[in-house]
Amino acid sequence: MTAALIGQPVSRVDGRRKVTGAATYAAEFEVPDLAHAAVVRSTIANGRVASIDSAAAEQAAGVLAVLTHRNAPRLVYREHKGVPDAATGERLHVLQDNRITHQGQPIAVVIADKLEQAVHAATMVRVTYAPEGAITDVTEVEPVLPADQSSPWEVRRGDPETVLGQAEVKIDQSYVIPRENHNPIEMHATVAAWDGDSLTLWDKTQWVHNTADEIAAVFGIPPENIRVVSPFVGGAFGSGLRCWPHVTLAALGARVAGRPVKLMLSRREMYYSVGFRPHTVQRVALGASRDGRLTAIVHEGHQETSTYEEFTEALLNATRFLHSCPNVYTRHRIAPMNMHTPTYMRAPGEASGIFALESAMDELAVALNVDPVELRLRNEPEQDEFQNLPFSSRSTRQCYKAAAERFGWSQRNPEPRSMRKGRLLIGWGMASATYGAGRAPASAKARLLPDGTAEVTSAASDMGPGTWTSMTQVAAETLGLPIERVSFTLGDTRLPRAAIHGGSITMASVGSAVQAACRQARDEVLQRGGANDLSEALAHIGQPVEATVQATPGDETKRFSMHAFGAVFVEVAVDPDLGETRVRRIVGAYGAGRIVNPKTARSQCIGGMIGGIGMALMEHSIVDPRNGRVANANFAEYAVPVHADAPPMMDVTFVDEHDPHVNPLGVKGLGEIALVGVAPAIANAVFHATGKRIRELPITPDKLL
Ligand code: MOS
């Protein structure tokens, strides 16, 4: 028998390939006769292209084609609404007419022999515009309820307004989070190669099958004609969930030029091409009794979206169940503006909504003179009061306790500005975290070979959490084989279709499929091979045995409210003269079900903590209201945390949690919850340090001086 592998801190099976450069990312695929694309982008935010002259560019050295709306082939743009697409509206059609809806919209693409030639020729395309008034400032838009009817945008229980009016203690504040952009180290890239009517795309994507489906719909060809290959993704945080217009441009360029084409976005282009976390404006009003019981919650928020699609995310959902409260009102609205469509960015909705809610809870704790942990414990619900369902499991109490103990919370003097280290103001703050434990259908194939090895495959993705590794562990343990005898492969549409690699559902969805396929293959081998030992039975059968299984969720979402929960505690030091905030320690405890690999799981969590430092203290895409330009679309001016910003102590605890309802593996997912709660815990710590409540992120020095 082999030892249990699920739960072991196995090192990344693809780690060596990554650190030696052997792992191939989208832009690195070598294709013979490769040409290069450069995109010409709109410099206005709304209006029309009045004229576009590509004659000079066409004459430039090495240029194979210049495509504009005047000469680009007409594309079919069949309807396709994949999971990550906006529910309402129509995606951007590239180079099909002269309409401009946003700054940075592609208006031409140049294909040339060499990248430098394409980039140079792109500067020679002459464009004039007929601009129209652009809406680029969220404060100038009257928000509206989304037209999409698939979600309730206004939810009420009890009589929150009346109860709020009569509350013994009341907090009523607004919270603002600016636009943030995904900044993975690997920029998006696509290599497109046609072979007759068949297309191969080497692409950075979190879902190969979705890219195939979308490009099939755009070009009007069967999805089976398209192969998408994406074995490694150098971070994405959600930017790779949708198939964006640059993939279409690469395929279009390759078709017209009659050669394979590589299109890689620059860092600057990333800010106009692959979505972003939308700017949100929220109001949270809390009513409570003197003894610290919530009596009413009103949480309203709106977020920016494009003029052509309604992007929405779960901004207010957690407010309906995180704390116990009989009277709750939430209203989610959108503000359509001249920008490209926002998208999901790590913990989409929850990260933003819970910043507001957990900041307000801290304000309430101060108003009540109650410890913030104690306030949450007093309002711990017995069940999901929105869905009226029991939680499949909820370990908030254990998380508060574990994190508070490891942090040393009992030593906290609640008085703001009371804790110091030398001239620095020290602040301790905390917040709760939650994220849904979702699951979607996924399939996997297990192929057992006579030599006692196994090849397990699924068209899943790994943008960093360690899918390669965790799936190998699940497969090897299920098969009872040593991990070295099992290979797992992902990232190719030729493999069985997987779920989207987002929303923290990969382990639950693909893991369940891998487990089921391995179990079926193993059972068949043992039955046919007439032996109790798998390797012996395989040798006996003498030929490969395969099983492909689709694993689908049951009716558990109808019976249980299923979420991961956590608690985040933070220590900051604020320089009273410079207004600079440094995070000194973060302690997080999570009830996230079974932890398949504590090593990669911890990695996820510290990644989320560092991301939370960015959200709290640094990240801000500054939009020029005159033209919708992102003024800091680069790494010099859009600050993200670097090693020097990561605190020396990032402490992660997974509380013991066995959830028999959530999925066969009992896992809840970690990618998103790791970010949730970090920004409010930091803001609450900054208040404790300075006595200043900052309700608009990021908390930059100017706000503290
Ligand atoms: Mo995550 S925003 O679902 O990639």
Side-chain angles (χ1 to χ4, degrees):
M1 267 319 283
T2 41
L5 283 161
I6 297 178
Q8 294 305 309
V10 175
S11 292
R12 289 176 191 260
V13 297
D14 53 339
R16 179 174 291 272
R17 272 179 284 177
K18 282 186 166 167
V19 299
T20 58
T24 312
Y25 293 83
E28 299 177 320
F29 280 91
E30 293 294 336
V31 180
D33 210 23
L34 187 65
H36 297 266
V39 182
V40 179
R41 294 177 180 275
S42 169
T43 57
I44 65 166
N46 193 29
R48 292 188 181 271
V49 173
S51 71
I52 189 159
D53 176 3
S54 52
E58 281 162 22
Q59 298 307 311
V63 171
L64 304 168
V66 181
L67 298 179
T68 69
H69 72 274
R70 299 176 56 187
N71 66 345
R74 297 303 93 182
L75 294 168
V76 181
Y77 279 104
R78 221 163 46 203
E79 183 169 337
H80 169 243
K81 293 271 188 211
V83 176
D85 298 314
T88 312
E90 176 56 30
R91 78 265 223 215
L92 187 72
H93 294 195
V94 283
L95 311 185
Q96 302 296 293
D97 59 35
N98 66 352
R99 188 86 191 92
I100 289 170
T101 64
H102 59 274
Q103 173 75 235
Q105 180 179 325
I107 53 174
V109 61
V110 178
I111 312 297
D113 230 10
K114 295 188 163 56
L115 175 62
E116 293 78 3
Q117 294 168 331
V119 170
H120 175 61
T123 66
M124 299 164 79
V125 176
R126 295 282 160 252
V127 187
T128 63
Y129 298 97
E132 293 163 27
I135 304 167
T136 58
D137 183 347
V138 75
T139 61
E140 285 173 7
V141 188
E142 182 57 28
V144 294
L145 288 170
D148 168 30
Q149 296 295 310
S150 65
S151 253
W153 304 112
E154 234 183 326
V155 169
R156 186 190 303 273
R157 67 171 177 264
D159 184 1
E161 288 84 356
T162 307
V163 175
L164 191 62
Q166 301 160 350
E168 289 172 5
V169 182
K170 199 167 113 176
I171 295 294
D172 193 341
Q173 293 292 351
S174 358
Y175 303 87
V176 177
I177 302 170
R179 182 189 301 187
E180 297 165 8
N181 276 85
H182 310 71
N183 271 295
I185 290 299
E186 181 205 17
M187 289 165 294
H188 280 254
T190 306
V191 175
W194 290 89
D195 178 6
D197 267 346
S198 294
L199 174 65
T200 303
L201 296 166
W202 291 268
D203 188 37
K204 176 188 177 102
T205 173
Q206 291 170 239
W207 199 10
V208 286
H209 278 97
N210 184 63
T211 297
D213 290 347
E214 168 66 3
I215 297 301
V218 170
F219 283 82
I221 58 177
E224 308 78 64
N225 285 18
I226 301 178
R227 181 182 181 195
V228 180
V229 183
S230 182
F232 294 97
V233 176
F237 311 107
S239 61
L241 293 168
R242 282 192 89 169
C243 176
W244 296 101
H246 68 271
V247 183
T248 297
L249 287 174
L252 198 57
R255 170 156 270 190
V256 172
R259 283 172 58 177
V261 163
K262 181 196 290 188
L263 191 160
M264 186 170 108
L265 299 178
S266 66
R267 182 62 60 185
R268 176 180 152 72
E269 286 181 290
M270 293 274 289
Y271 288 76
Y272 300 104
S273 311
V274 292
F276 50 89
R277 188 194 300 282
H279 185 134
T280 50
V281 180
Q282 301 177 68
R283 172 193 170 216
V284 181
L286 302 177
S289 57
R290 271 270 153 240
D291 66 351
R293 316 260 161 203
L294 285 166
T295 56
I297 303 176
V298 172
H299 190 173
E300 300 180 80
H302 61 270
Q303 57 182 192
E304 53 186 10
T305 187
S306 66
T307 55
Y308 54 95
E309 285 178 311
E310 279 186 354
F311 172 74
T312 55
E313 58 186 6
L315 185 65
L316 311 176
N317 297 23
T319 299
R320 303 170 190 158
F321 66 83
L322 184 55
H323 304 301
S324 176
C325 184
N327 304 288
V328 177
Y329 173 70
T330 61
R331 179 174 64 166
H332 182 161
R333 292 181 296 170
I334 49 172
M337 292 161 56
N338 291 107
M339 58 183 53
H340 83 289
T341 308
T343 196
Y344 303 114
M345 180 166 151
R346 200 169 194 177
E350 280 80 358
S352 305
I354 288 177
F355 166 71
L357 178 67
E358 290 297 284
S359 292
M361 284 293 280
D362 201 67
E363 299 200 44
L364 181 63
V366 171
L368 288 163
N369 199 20
V370 170
D371 179 85
V373 178
E374 176 58 27
L375 177 65
R376 286 163 178 84
L377 289 171
R378 284 185 200 170
N379 292 284
E380 179 66 9
E382 292 308 315
Q383 62 156 16
D384 180 329
E385 296 174 0
F386 168 58
Q387 294 192 78
N388 284 316
L389 288 175
F391 292 108
S392 61
S393 57
R394 173 169 167 133
S395 305
T396 32
R397 284 192 180 88
Q398 295 90 318
C399 291
Y400 295 136
K401 187 167 188 292
E405 276 173 12
R406 293 184 73 84
F407 189 85
W409 185 256
S410 61
Q411 303 302 307
R412 180 179 185 259
N413 179 341
E415 187 61 29
R417 303 181 70 90
S418 64
M419 294 170 66
R420 283 169 194 262
K421 183 167 175 85
R423 47 184 283 279
L424 299 176
L425 299 168
I426 299 295
W428 289 6
M430 60 80 57
S432 318
T434 185
Y435 194 83
R439 187 185 165 195
S443 43
K445 178 162 119 178
R447 187 163 194 264
L448 308 190
L449 303 170
D451 65 357
T453 62
E455 298 168 354
V456 183
T457 55
S458 175
S461 176
D462 186 351
M463 63 170 149
T467 316
W468 282 97
T469 309
S470 55
M471 297 304 160
T472 310
Q473 289 175 256
V474 171
E477 174 166 321
T478 308
L479 294 167
L481 290 175
I483 197 162
E484 316 74 54
R485 308 190 82 167
V486 178
S487 70
F488 176 76
T489 308
L490 52 70
D492 189 330
T493 46
R494 291 194 173 163
L495 308 176
R497 190 178 180 109
I500 189 171
H501 184 45
S504 298
I505 69 168
T506 297
M507 200 64 240
S509 311
V510 180
S512 297
V514 165
Q515 187 186 47
C518 290
R519 208 169 259 166
Q520 188 171 313
R522 177 187 161 88
D523 288 351
E524 189 184 328
V525 167
L526 292 179
Q527 198 183 3
R528 277 172 52 191
N532 285 329
D533 178 86
L534 190 72
S535 304
E536 215 174 288
L538 275 167
H540 199 244
I541 293 169
Q543 53 182 312
V545 174
E546 286 183 7
T548 303
V549 175
Q550 189 190 46
T552 50
D555 67 348
E556 58 274 5
T557 54
K558 297 197 173 64
R559 296 182 289 122
F560 295 100
S561 173
M562 304 192 294
H563 309 267
F565 292 93
V568 186
F569 289 68
V570 168
E571 176 177 320
V572 298
V574 180
D575 185 317
D577 300 317
L578 302 177
E580 186 196 43
T581 302
R582 305 286 301 181
V583 177
R584 289 162 58 93
R585 300 191 281 147
I586 307 185
V587 174
Y590 307 91
R594 193 175 188 193
I595 300 302
V596 171
N597 184 327
K599 194 174 191 177
T600 50
R602 176 177 181 277
S603 214
Q604 280 276 71
C605 290
I606 64 174
M609 287 171 175
I610 295 168
I613 292 172
M615 184 176 185
L617 304 179
M618 302 172 187
E619 295 192 54
H620 180 189
S621 307
I622 300 163
V623 180
D624 185 334
R626 294 170 303 178
N627 50 27
R629 263 186 66 224
V630 180
N632 59 339
N634 57 69
F635 265 171
E637 294 162 296
Y638 183 103
V640 294
V642 298
H643 281 300
D645 298 301
M649 179 182 175
M650 289 183 281
D651 183 85
V652 177
T653 300
F654 300 110
V655 304
D656 214 18
E657 187 176 75
H658 300 275
D659 190 323
H661 309 297
V662 70
N663 51 58
L665 282 168
V667 300
K668 285 184 172 177
L670 274 174
E672 329 283 338
I673 194 172
L675 180 70
V676 180
V678 181
I682 292 172
N684 296 341
V686 167
F687 172 80
H688 182 237
T690 63
K692 285 189 181 151
R693 180 67 64 180
I694 309 300
R695 302 185 184 91
E696 179 163 2
L697 297 180
I699 305 171
T700 42
D702 52 299
K703 292 174 183 158
L704 289 174
L705 289 176

